[in-house]
Amino acid sequence: MKHLNHYLFVAVAALLATACEKEEPTDQQSTFEGHWTQQLNTKSPIDITFSGNTFIWHKDGSEKVKNIGTFSYKDSLLTLTVEKTYVRNPIFDPEAAEQGKPLQFEDWEEGNIFLYSPMVYKVMSIGPTYLILRNHNGYHYTQKGELFYMLRGDSFQSLAGNQLNGTWQGQAYWDTDQGIGGKFKFQFNGSNYNLYQLSWMRTREDQTPHLVCRYQEGTWAHVENNLTLTPTTEKRSFYQTSTDPVQYHYYTVDANAMESDQWVDVAPQDLAPIEWKACLIGNKLEVITSGNVDFTLTRE
């Protein structure tokens, strides 16, 4: 199953370097007052507190950094001018590492301000409860162009069953000529879901891209940005005909309807949960797959 999933997502994963930018915001607000927590990144999250014209920027995880200073906002650019930087250095303890104990850190101490100032973000979208930032200039521990999905408050998002009810559609970057991309259609009803997924499939022996479709039914759960899809039924538009060399037979797929002219049922023992990151930002569901492919779902 894992081997098969690799081929389903290999073409989509190549999109990271060429993914389209999110839409420009049409309704911006110039107030950032309050505390904001980064979503979709629960391993090294960032939170920012704005008060007046001052800010506290805090990074948790394996690198612990706190930046304090003043900020300005003009022409969609949020500029954080760092005046003081503090870090918590890890405590090297080989015995604790061997025993699998959590990493311990020293107390806060002043760090090198020149690594962090100024930090500039482009405000992609802002609302009363959400804030989407794109790293404009790059700085230590983060990359230029990286997106930050922020929610007002101090916790990660968990969604109940009825919050996603309805039909959602979206796609990663899609190029039929190159045979890359992914399209997704979800139907949520309480704790149940249906998933239609289009992608392009290649193997080492056959580099020709083949359009394939997957359909699933099952249950879902969403806790602290972790979206778990547990299928009870799955069918696909292809099946394996040979293992040496690896070969598949592909049925004809209707890309618009996300349907195949014939389907192949997946055996129950081959069904496996899908673990993605997802966050409801405004009226859109932002998703990052286990292959680090990001896309946006919009409710119909």
Side-chain angles (χ1 to χ4, degrees):
M1 179 68 181
K2 292 182 178 178
H3 176 73
L4 194 55
N5 278 340
H6 169 76
Y7 290 118
L8 280 171
F9 286 105
V10 67
V12 183
L15 303 173
L16 291 175
T18 58
C20 291
E21 291 191 354
K22 305 292 183 183
E23 294 180 359
E24 288 287 332
T26 56
D27 182 20
Q28 292 187 353
Q29 303 174 17
S30 59
T31 177
F32 302 91
E33 189 78 14
H35 185 71
W36 302 84
T37 302
Q38 181 189 10
Q39 307 293 308
L40 299 183
N41 184 351
T42 54
K43 292 184 178 179
S44 330
I46 290 171
D47 61 274
I48 310 176
T49 302
F50 298 97
S51 179
N53 70 333
T54 66
F55 75 90
I56 299 175
W57 181 100
H58 172 240
K59 180 180 176 64
D60 206 349
S62 57
E63 302 94 11
K64 298 184 183 296
V65 183
K66 187 183 296 183
N67 296 320
I68 300 173
T70 59
F71 74 94
S72 61
Y73 178 62
K74 183 179 181 181
D75 297 331
S76 299
L77 294 180
L78 177 64
T79 301
L80 308 182
T81 302
V82 181
E83 298 175 353
K84 285 189 178 294
T85 294
Y86 299 90
V87 297
R88 290 186 65 188
N89 294 313
I91 299 173
F92 181 67
D93 186 344
E95 183 177 346
E98 290 179 359
Q99 297 174 358
K101 294 181 179 180
L103 188 63
Q104 299 297 311
F105 293 85
E106 298 176 353
D107 293 335
W108 290 104
E109 62 180 44
E110 196 160 347
N112 189 348
I113 189 175
F114 299 105
L115 293 175
Y116 306 98
S117 185
M119 298 186 295
V120 183
Y121 298 95
K122 183 172 184 179
V123 177
M124 306 303 294
S125 186
I126 186 171
T129 61
Y130 66 90
L131 175 63
I132 303 177
L133 304 174
R134 181 184 291 278
N135 194 344
H136 188 69
N137 61 346
Y139 49 87
H140 199 40
Y141 296 134
T142 63
Q143 297 179 348
K144 183 176 182 179
E146 183 177 351
L147 282 171
F148 296 84
Y149 298 98
M150 316 287 291
L151 288 180
R152 190 184 293 276
D154 58 2
S155 62
F156 299 117
Q157 188 180 68
S158 297
L159 298 173
N162 60 357
Q163 290 181 274
L164 294 183
N165 279 354
T167 300
W168 299 75
Q169 293 199 62
Q171 67 179 52
Y173 178 81
W174 184 269
D175 189 325
T176 301
D177 294 335
Q178 296 294 322
I180 52 178
K183 294 185 178 182
F184 307 86
K185 179 180 179 180
F186 279 92
Q187 294 172 333
F188 291 101
N189 181 15
S191 61
N192 300 312
Y193 79 92
N194 296 345
L195 166 64
Y196 296 84
Q197 177 187 338
L198 289 179
S199 58
W200 296 91
M201 185 169 170
R202 296 176 175 85
T203 66
R204 292 184 180 90
E205 295 81 1
D206 180 10
Q207 288 297 306
T208 302
H210 298 275
L211 183 63
V212 297
C213 186
R214 166 196 284 187
Y215 172 78
Q216 278 190 354
E217 296 178 2
T219 59
W220 67 275
H222 182 270
V223 179
E224 294 189 348
N225 296 322
N226 295 304
L227 176 63
T228 302
L229 306 173
T230 304
T232 55
T233 300
E234 180 173 333
K235 55 186 180 179
R236 295 172 177 168
S237 66
F238 60 95
Y239 64 90
Q240 189 169 352
T241 59
S242 173
T243 57
D244 188 16
V246 176
Q247 293 181 335
Y248 293 89
H249 176 78
Y250 304 93
Y251 290 117
T252 301
V253 170
D254 183 335
N256 293 323
M258 292 190 177
E259 291 283 354
S260 174
D261 63 349
Q262 295 189 57
W263 291 99
V264 178
D265 291 329
V266 176
Q269 64 268 23
D270 292 330
L271 296 176
I274 297 175
E275 300 284 349
W276 289 348
K277 298 287 186 182
C279 184
L280 188 60
I281 304 288
N283 60 353
K284 295 182 179 181
L285 189 65
E286 304 292 344
V287 181
I288 299 178
T289 73
S290 53
N292 288 330
V293 177
D294 65 280
F295 58 93
T296 302
L297 291 170
T298 303
R299 191 177 349 222
E300 293 182 351

